Amino acid sequence: DKGKVADSLDKASEEQEDVDSLRIDTEGDNSVATTDKDAFRMNQRETEAHQVKLQHLCRICGGSFKADPYKRSHPVHGPVDNVMQAVLRKKEKRATSWPELLAKVFKIDVRGDIDTIHPTNFCHNCWHFIQKKFSNVPCKVYFPRKGPVEWHPHSSNCEVCGTLSRGVKRKLQALNPQVNKKLRIMARRARQIRPVRTPKQVNSKSLMKKIVNCNKIHLSTKNFAVDYPADFVKAVSCQICEHILADPVETTCKHLFCRVCILKCLKVMGSYCPACLYPCFPTDLVSPVKSFLSILNNLPLRCPVKECDEEISLEKYCHHLSSHKDVKDKEGYVHINKGGRPRQHLLSLTRRAQKHRLRELKLQVK
C-alpha cells in the first residue's frame, strides 16, 4: 500500500510539472505575439506619420511648404492651371496634365508614384521655375537643386521624418563652374547702367560682321521681291550680319539671330547678347515660335538668275536655284567656281585642300 501511494504521488508531481511547463510555453507564445502586434502597430503608426509628413513636402525639390508664407502647392497628378495654359499657348505648345509637363522640364516620370513613398504635391517655386522656362522672359530663375529628389521608403534613418521643417536635407555637391560664371556675369551687368549707343559700339558691330563673315552663305535683304517697311525687314533679319535669318534662334532677351552668327560671336566676343549685352549662353538659345517661322519661310524672294527673274518663297529658294543649269549667274547658297581650272576630285587633293573643300560643301548644304 505504501508503494502504491508513492507511485501515485510521483505521477501527480510529473503531471503538475507538465502542466506548469505548458503554461510557461503558452505565456511565452502570448508575450511574443503581443510584442509582434505592438511592433506592427508601431510600424503602421510610423508609416502613417511618414505619409502625413510627405504631404508637406515638394515632390520635385523636397522643400517644405511651410517655407512659403502663402502655403501654395500644386497637385502632381492634376490638370495644368489656366495661367500655365496661357503661357504654353503663347509658345505654341500643348500640355493638359502636370505629369506630361514635369517630364518635359525635369525629366522625371511621376505616373508611377506611390503615396507611401512620394509626395503628391509640388511647391510654388518649382511652378515658377516651369513658368519661366516656357515664358522665356529676360529673368534667370535657377532650380534650387542639381536635380529632382530621389524618394525612398520609410526606414529607421528616414530623412523625411527628421527634416520636415526645412525640407529634405541637401547633399553637398561640387559647384558648377558654368552656373557660377552666369551669376558673376549677371551681377557685373546688374551694377552697370545700360550704356548709350556710342561710335565705339558701331565699331564693335562692324567687327562682329567681320567675325561671322557670312556673305557667301546668307541671303541679303535686297533679295526681297517686295519693298517691305524698314521695321519689318529688321524683324526678319539677323542683328549681327543684317542678312535674312537663316536657322533663326531666340535668346532669353527676345532677340533673333542666325544660329551660325550668334554661336561665333559668343565664342569670340563673350557670353552676352550682341544687341543688349544681357548675359547669354549657347544653352539658352531656343527656336522661335512656329507661326513666326512660317511667316519667314513664306517671304517672297526674287531669283538672282538674270533670265529667270521669278518670285520664290524663302523655303523653296535653294530648290529653285538647283533647278537652273547655268552656274555662272547663280548667287546665294550655290558655290561659284571663279578659278580657271576645272574642279579636281576630292580624293586627289592634299589634306589641307580637302579640308577647305569639305568646309565649302558644308556651307552649301546649310
Side-chain angles (χ1 to χ4, degrees):
D1 294 338
K2 288 181 181 180
K4 290 179 181 180
V5 171
D7 291 338
S8 60
L9 289 174
D10 292 338
K11 286 180 181 180
S13 61
E14 288 176 0
E15 289 176 0
Q16 187 66 32
E17 288 177 1
D18 292 339
V19 169
D20 292 340
S21 63
L22 185 61
R23 188 183 300 163
I24 291 168
D25 293 340
T26 308
E27 288 176 357
D29 292 341
N30 290 336
S31 63
V32 170
T34 307
T35 308
D36 291 341
K37 284 182 181 179
D38 293 340
F40 176 74
R41 287 173 185 169
M42 192 175 295
N43 289 335
Q44 194 172 6
R45 286 174 195 165
E46 287 181 359
T47 306
E48 290 174 358
H50 175 80
Q51 193 170 351
V52 170
K53 290 174 182 178
L54 283 176
Q55 303 306 316
H56 299 283
L57 296 178
C58 173
R59 165 68 177 86
I60 302 166
C61 67
S64 175
F65 298 143
K66 293 180 180 179
D68 185 6
Y70 300 102
K71 306 290 189 296
R72 293 167 292 185
S73 62
H74 306 271
V76 170
H77 300 284
V80 178
D81 54 73
N82 296 331
V83 178
M84 193 65 69
Q85 287 282 11
V87 172
L88 292 173
R89 272 197 298 272
K90 281 187 179 180
K91 300 299 288 183
E92 296 183 346
K93 297 183 183 296
R94 290 183 181 180
T96 55
S97 61
W98 282 116
E100 185 180 353
L101 208 56
L102 294 175
K104 287 181 181 177
V105 178
F106 298 104
K107 305 292 186 294
I108 55 172
D109 186 13
V110 297
R111 292 184 178 90
D113 285 3
I114 304 171
D115 293 344
T116 55
I117 300 176
H118 304 91
T120 55
N121 297 317
F122 63 95
C123 64
H124 192 70
N125 186 39
C126 295
W127 180 91
H128 199 59
F129 180 82
I130 299 170
Q131 185 195 20
K132 296 295 181 185
K133 194 85 173 174
F134 283 104
S135 59
N136 198 23
V137 295
C139 175
K140 203 66 186 172
V141 179
Y142 292 103
F143 187 56
R145 303 176 69 94
K146 191 174 181 181
V149 178
E150 293 183 4
W151 300 94
H152 304 284
H154 177 68
S155 59
S156 57
N157 53 352
C158 181
E159 293 182 355
V160 174
C161 298
T163 56
L164 179 63
S165 58
R166 298 180 183 177
V168 177
K169 190 175 180 181
R170 190 183 309 175
K171 294 181 181 179
L172 293 175
Q173 294 167 345
L175 295 174
N176 190 354
Q178 184 79 353
V179 175
N180 291 343
K181 188 179 179 183
K182 278 187 183 182
L183 292 172
R184 284 200 305 272
I185 292 174
M186 288 181 67
R188 188 170 68 250
R189 297 294 176 195
R191 294 191 204 101
Q192 298 173 354
I193 303 171
R194 184 174 292 182
V196 185
R197 185 173 288 276
T198 58
K200 192 174 181 181
Q201 278 191 346
V202 176
N203 294 335
S204 69
K205 196 164 187 178
S206 63
L207 177 64
M208 284 189 289
K209 284 186 180 180
K210 290 180 181 178
I211 290 170
V212 295
N213 192 20
C214 58
N215 293 325
K216 293 184 179 179
I217 60 172
H218 292 164
L219 290 170
S220 173
T221 52
K222 295 177 182 178
N223 291 352
F224 281 132
V226 182
D227 189 13
Y228 290 112
D231 291 336
F232 180 80
V233 173
K234 189 177 179 181
V236 295
S237 58
C238 175
Q239 297 199 28
I240 296 174
C241 64
E242 296 180 350
H243 294 143
I244 301 173
L245 286 166
D247 190 13
V249 290
E250 185 181 352
T251 60
T252 49
C253 49
K254 299 281 186 181
H255 291 118
L256 291 168
F257 304 95
C258 304
R259 188 182 293 273
V260 176
C261 300
I262 185 65
L263 289 176
K264 284 183 180 178
C265 280
L266 291 178
K267 189 174 182 181
V268 177
M269 304 289 289
S271 300
Y272 59 87
C273 175
C276 64
L277 304 182
Y278 189 81
C280 177
F281 292 82
T283 53
D284 300 333
L285 302 176
V286 294
S287 182
V289 292
K290 293 178 182 177
S291 55
F292 176 80
L293 293 176
S294 64
I295 293 170
L296 181 67
N297 291 327
N298 290 321
L299 291 175
L301 300 175
R302 195 169 297 282
C303 181
V305 179
K306 293 177 182 178
E307 299 174 357
C308 180
D309 200 29
E310 187 181 342
E311 291 186 7
I312 326 105
S313 63
L314 180 62
E315 192 175 12
K316 300 176 181 178
Y317 182 79
C318 291
H319 179 71
H320 177 78
L321 279 185
S322 62
S323 64
H324 288 293
K325 294 181 180 179
D326 299 329
V327 185
K328 296 178 182 179
D329 297 328
K330 288 186 186 179
E331 293 177 1
Y333 291 113
V334 182
H335 182 80
I336 304 167
N337 183 17
K338 296 180 180 178
R341 294 183 304 167
R343 280 284 173 132
Q344 293 177 317
H345 194 271
L346 185 64
L347 295 176
S348 64
L349 301 174
T350 60
R351 286 279 182 88
R352 182 174 294 180
Q354 285 180 7
K355 187 177 178 181
H356 287 290
R357 177 71 65 80
L358 287 172
R359 187 180 298 168
E360 290 171 3
L361 292 172
K362 285 180 182 178
L363 293 178
Q364 286 184 37
V365 170
K366 285 182 181 179

